[in-house]
Each structure stands twice: as C-alpha cells, then as structure tokens.
Amino acid sequence: MTDSHITTAGTDWQAWQESWDRQQEWYMPDREERFRVMLDMVEALVGPAPRVLDLACGTGSITARLLARLPAATSTGVDLDPALLAIAEGTFAGDERVTFVTADLKDPGWVSRLPHDSYDAVLTATALHWLHREPLADLYGHLAGLVRDGGVFMNADHMIDETTPRINAAERAQRHARMDQARAEGALDWADWWQLAAKDPVLAGPTARRFEIYGEHADGDMPSPAWHARTLREAGFAEARPVWCSPSDTLLLALK
C-alpha cells in the first residue's frame, strides 16, 4: 500500500494517526467514549484475547485502542483506501498481532481474502454509512457467516431515527454550530485533512489513488438503529440492540 519501505522509513506515522483522530473528533467529540464502550462489550462477551476483524479499518483507530486495552488480542484490518491503509501499515509495522488486507466490501468475494474463517468480534466505526441499505444488508449477511457462535458484531455510526424530525433538526443545528466554532478556532475538517495528505511526499500517491477509487465523500444511507437491529437479526444474529448512543450516533451490538 505504501510506495516503498525506503521512502516511508522517516515518516511520523503516529503524527498522522493523531491528526486523523483530531479531524474525526471535530465531527464526533464523543468518539473515544464509543470506543470505550465497544471494548467493554468485547471483553464482556468474548474475553480478553479476542480474534478481531477491524472492518473498514481506515488508519487502524479501533485496532490501536483494542491492543492498548487487550494486549493479547489479534486484529485483521480490512479496507480499500490506500492512503489510510498506508498510515495503518506504517503505524503497526512489525506488530505480529496485526494483519491488513486490501479488499472492497462491495465485492462478494472480499471474505476469501481474510486470513481466518471466523472471528470472535467484528468491529467498525463511522464507515458503513458509505453503503446504501441493500449492499449493507448483504454485508451483514456475510458478517453473520464470519462471526462465531457467541461472537459479536458492533457498528458505531450515524443512525437517524426518521420518526423524530424536530429532535433531529435541533440536534443537527447545535452540533453544526459547535463544529463551526471549532473550525473557526483552527480545527481541520475532512477536506482540509485530505489536502494535507495530498501534499505529503509519502501519502500523495496513495491519496490520489483513493480519490480515483472513491471520488469525493458521498454518504450512502443512515437508517435507524431499529433497521440495523432488525436486519442483523434477519441475517442470522440472535440478539441485536444499541449499547451506547449520543443524540446523533449509535453503537449497535449484535450477538451471534
């Protein structure tokens, strides 16, 4: 995913990780809280040494927190974004607990690229809103086959309850006002961050390739937590419900 080991040797991958975290926190000030609850539930349901699939892993944000919390865990990160994968691979280079796989989750054969046939936990955050309902439901079907009996899937993302339009509008207005204030104080947004990556000697090539793959950011669907829970049960999970929520986001857990 990176251009060469020689050109990346001096890259401060931790600085890029921290820069990505700050940019994401501009959108989600409670980002660390959802990660904490996610790992609480991993430990509660599958123990302190889980085999984890970090789905649409990006820079490896979940993997980093997983290994800090549960050092005996192992993680497979899967993503298609060459720039974010370059940061992930640079960050975790030499850590035998971590493997990265390049795959498109819309490709029905992506599961065959994984190093394991089953996982104790599949975790994802702020990623699956790129998918519309039909491909997301198909993906949930694949995940039901990957998660072992007694294992868990968790998705932390923006999930909109369309039955509460006035609440949604008020929350959105307040959230965006706070974001505008932070931006005025120098916070980087998504576009700013990618402009920096495009200027970096190591990340410029992977960044150009990621925009060839994805184009500009475009949201898929953001259905309600109830839709996610119902679809996961229909896919083969035994139980599914939110285990954390903010006014705009939900961490939904499905137990196999």
Side-chain angles (χ1 to χ4, degrees), residues 11 34 49 73 89 96 105 127 145 150 155 171 179 209 225 244 247:
T11 302
R34 69 191 70 190
E89 290 192 320
E96 295 181 354
L105 298 181
N155 177 16
E171 181 281 325
M179 290 166 66
R209 291 195 294 277
W244 174 92

Side-chain angles (χ1 to χ4, degrees), residues 223-245:
S224 70
W227 181 94
H228 286 273
R230 182 177 68 252
T231 304
L232 285 160
R233 286 192 295 267
E234 291 171 352
F237 288 89
E239 301 177 15
R241 71 166 175 87
V243 291
W244 174 92
C245 71

Side-chain angles (χ1 to χ4, degrees), residues 201-217:
V202 173
L203 290 177
T207 297
R209 291 195 294 277
R210 75 87 53 197
F211 279 99
E212 290 172 5
I213 294 168
Y214 292 108
E216 295 298 327
H217 189 280

Side-chain angles (χ1 to χ4, degrees), residues 72-217:
T74 59
S75 178
T76 303
V78 60
D79 208 302
L80 187 62
D81 189 314
L84 299 185
L85 278 172
I87 295 171
E89 290 192 320
T91 300
F92 296 98
D95 192 332
E96 295 181 354
R97 298 171 296 177
V98 184
T99 304
F100 291 104
V101 174
T102 301
D104 184 350
L105 298 181
K106 294 180 182 178
D107 177 358
W110 72 270
V111 172
S112 67
R113 303 177 69 91
L114 301 176
H116 305 291
D117 293 331
S118 69
Y119 288 85
D120 301 311
V122 177
L123 310 176
T124 189
T126 328
L128 299 189
H129 64 267
W130 285 69
L131 299 177
H132 291 282
R133 280 172 171 81
E134 186 174 338
L136 182 55
D138 288 342
L139 176 63
Y140 281 172
H142 287 298
L143 297 182
L146 270 177
V147 175
R148 68 162 173 83
D149 287 347
V152 298
F153 165 67
M154 278 183 271
N155 177 16
D157 212 340
H158 197 40
M159 300 182 189
I160 298 175
D161 186 339
E162 295 175 353
T163 68
T164 58
R166 289 187 297 161
I167 296 171
N168 299 349
E171 181 281 325
R172 187 179 186 277
Q174 183 183 56
R175 175 162 44 91
H176 280 264
R178 288 176 175 172
M179 290 166 66
D180 289 345
Q181 179 62 36
R183 184 88 195 284
E185 294 169 359
L188 292 179
D189 69 4
W190 171 268
D192 293 334
W193 191 90
W194 282 110
Q195 287 176 9
L196 286 178
K199 295 174 183 176
D200 183 84
V202 173
L203 290 177
T207 297
R209 291 195 294 277
R210 75 87 53 197
F211 279 99
E212 290 172 5
I213 294 168
Y214 292 108
E216 295 298 327
H217 189 280

